[in-house]
Amino acid sequence: MSAEPRINDRIRVPEVRLVGPSGEQVGIVPLAKALELAQEYDLDLVEVAATARPPVCKLMDYGKFKYESAMKAREARKNQAHTVIKEMKLRPKIDPHDYDTKKGHVVRFLKQGDKVKITIMFRGREQSRPELGFRLLQRLASDVEDLGFIESNPKQDGRNMIMVLGPHKKKTEAMAEAREAQAARKAERQGSTHDAESHGDAAQAPAEAAEAPAETPSEA
């Protein structure tokens, strides 16, 4: 069945409970009268409660209503927070440079409000030294404790050791802050462009004045 409400001549009932364009209650009127009022106001007659007896109809601009509803739904989806779990893999004997790079990714994920699954991969004889992986996970958790917390403690999973970090900041908060930062950067760029243009105009004015020929005195 279609989710679209019936409008105008698609409404097939003898009478309707009519609501005016500003939400005022008009009352129960014959369908023909409701359609006549819709035409008079240059609006649509829209069935908003089909199961009521009689059905409730409202006078509105249905095209505008659909557009505004679509925009609200789009904005709601845009602001909807989806929990995302990122994954970062490390070796128990990772070198300092690689560790700093991996830690940077974890910091970025947590700032975005995402969870991070940290996996330590053991190979060969490394499997007999699980304490290396445990200490590495504890070190990483300590390094990012201002941004996240240990949501799932380190545990062995076959040849791997896994820990999950959760962000202190909610996803919706992180998204809002990101939008604010983007707007601030945009405003700063526009301000810099405006200042540069103003400076160029100011520098050009004296040059134009210097180039202007002096007026010759008129003869008496």
Side-chain angles (χ1 to χ4, degrees):
M1 294 180 64
S2 173
E4 293 284 334
R6 295 188 296 182
I7 66 172
N8 300 327
D9 56 359
R10 295 180 185 174
I11 302 172
R12 304 296 178 87
V13 290
E15 57 186 15
V16 299
R17 184 178 297 278
L18 187 63
V19 179
S22 301
E24 68 276 15
Q25 297 291 331
V26 178
I28 298 175
V29 299
L31 177 61
K33 177 63 176 178
L35 290 170
E36 182 181 330
L37 288 172
Q39 188 173 10
E40 181 179 326
Y41 282 106
D42 194 23
L43 294 172
D44 298 299
L45 181 67
V46 182
E47 190 177 57
V48 294
T51 57
R53 292 292 178 268
V56 179
C57 294
K58 184 176 181 180
L59 298 174
M60 68 173 74
D61 183 337
Y62 187 58
K64 181 180 178 182
F65 171 76
K66 283 186 66 177
Y67 173 77
E68 291 177 348
S69 297
M71 292 302 293
K72 288 178 182 178
R74 180 180 177 184
E75 190 66 22
R77 288 194 299 269
K78 180 180 177 182
N79 294 329
Q80 188 175 4
H82 296 283
T83 301
V84 177
I85 299 181
K86 305 288 188 177
E87 184 170 12
M88 188 58 56
K89 296 181 179 181
L90 294 79
R91 295 293 307 282
K93 296 181 179 180
I94 188 170
D95 67 66
H97 175 74
D98 285 345
Y99 174 80
D100 289 339
T101 301
K102 300 278 188 179
K103 183 181 72 174
H105 292 312
V106 173
V107 167
R108 177 163 54 87
F109 295 148
L110 291 173
K111 283 184 176 180
Q112 292 172 352
D114 295 324
K115 296 182 181 182
V116 189
K117 176 183 175 183
I118 313 295
T119 302
I120 304 295
M121 302 179 295
F122 296 95
R123 293 179 182 175
R125 287 182 292 180
E126 292 175 346
Q127 296 179 59
S128 63
R129 301 288 305 279
E131 69 277 7
L132 295 177
F134 182 81
R135 284 203 294 266
L136 181 58
L137 290 175
Q138 290 294 320
R139 174 189 171 190
L140 180 58
S142 176
D143 286 346
V144 300
E145 63 182 355
D146 56 331
L147 297 171
F149 61 96
I150 299 177
E151 184 173 288
S152 178
N153 287 313
K155 63 180 180 180
Q156 198 75 27
D157 182 18
R159 291 187 298 177
N160 299 328
M161 184 174 287
I162 296 171
M163 176 182 72
V164 177
L165 295 174
H168 291 312
K169 190 179 299 182
K170 293 182 179 179
K171 184 73 172 178
T172 49
E173 295 174 357
M175 291 170 64
E177 289 183 5
R179 285 195 296 271
E180 289 175 2
Q182 184 179 11
R185 288 194 298 269
K186 183 178 179 181
E188 185 178 353
R189 286 196 301 269
Q190 291 175 342
S192 299
T193 302
H194 178 72
D195 291 343
E197 291 175 351
S198 300
H199 179 73
D201 292 343
Q204 186 178 3
E208 290 177 347
E211 292 175 2
E215 292 186 4
T216 304
S218 57
E219 295 180 359

